[in-house]
Amino acid sequence: MYFEDSDFSKALRYDKVVAKFANYYLLDDFFIIEVNEGEHFNWDKLNSLLDALRDHYGNHKALAYIANRVNSYSIDPVLWSYFDKDDSILVAASIVTYRDSSYMNANIEKQMAKIPLKRAHSLGEAINWVQYLKEFN
């Protein structure tokens, strides 16, 4: 389910950013990204995303990340190595999958991530998990 089609979009305050390759939804302590169909999420797109996040939140905000994988796209799993750095603003992530193949890819990404990463079967499951992270309570 797309974020804007969910009840969460009506209940939560957010700003929407439309990029060439994805839509981002920027909330208080987390953001949701929905990458467009057929894209390949690589270093250039990650840097574009991080620039948008720093413009919105500043350089020192702790954030969680939700990848709402409603579309089929590829991602370079090595990107998770970026978030090992001390200057990373991401403290946790959740990948919402709607297909078995996406869930299997999320398993591989979980092995590469150094931050907590939850695989979820629904947007609600991911949002609820993020909202109760100790970093935000």
Side-chain angles (χ1 to χ4, degrees):
M1 171 179 290
Y2 289 96
F3 174 70
E4 288 187 309
D5 294 336
S6 74
D7 290 338
F8 293 103
S9 72
K10 296 166 189 67
L12 299 172
R13 190 180 66 75
Y14 66 92
D15 291 323
K16 179 179 179 179
V17 176
V18 178
K20 289 182 180 181
F21 61 91
N23 292 332
Y24 320 137
Y25 304 94
L26 309 174
L27 295 96
D28 289 340
D29 292 321
F30 64 97
F31 70 96
I32 299 168
I33 185 171
E34 295 173 348
V35 176
N36 297 337
E37 184 76 26
E39 289 288 341
H40 177 65
F41 196 78
N42 57 22
W43 282 106
D44 292 337
K45 292 172 180 145
L46 173 63
N47 286 325
S48 174
L49 169 63
L50 291 172
D51 288 344
L53 294 175
R54 288 188 176 108
D55 285 347
H56 184 81
Y57 295 106
N59 290 323
H60 303 291
K61 172 80 173 161
L63 292 172
Y65 158 59
I66 296 176
N68 190 26
R69 296 197 175 160
V70 289
N71 296 316
S72 180
Y73 64 93
S74 61
I75 183 171
D76 183 350
V78 176
L79 295 178
W80 286 104
S81 66
Y82 175 84
F83 303 111
D84 298 350
K85 298 181 179 179
D86 292 335
D87 67 344
S88 175
I89 59 176
L90 297 185
V91 296
S94 182
I95 299 173
V96 183
T97 62
Y98 299 91
R99 294 172 289 284
D100 289 340
S101 60
S102 295
Y103 193 82
M104 292 174 63
N105 289 341
N107 285 336
I108 294 168
E109 291 175 63
K110 183 174 176 61
Q111 298 304 313
M112 300 190 83
K114 298 293 183 184
I115 60 174
L117 191 149
K118 176 175 181 50
R119 293 151 301 166
H121 292 289
S122 72
L123 189 55
E125 181 183 357
I127 290 172
N128 287 331
W129 180 76
V130 163
Q131 289 178 325
Y132 289 101
L133 287 169
K134 67 179 181 200
E135 288 85 355
F136 306 132
N137 294 305

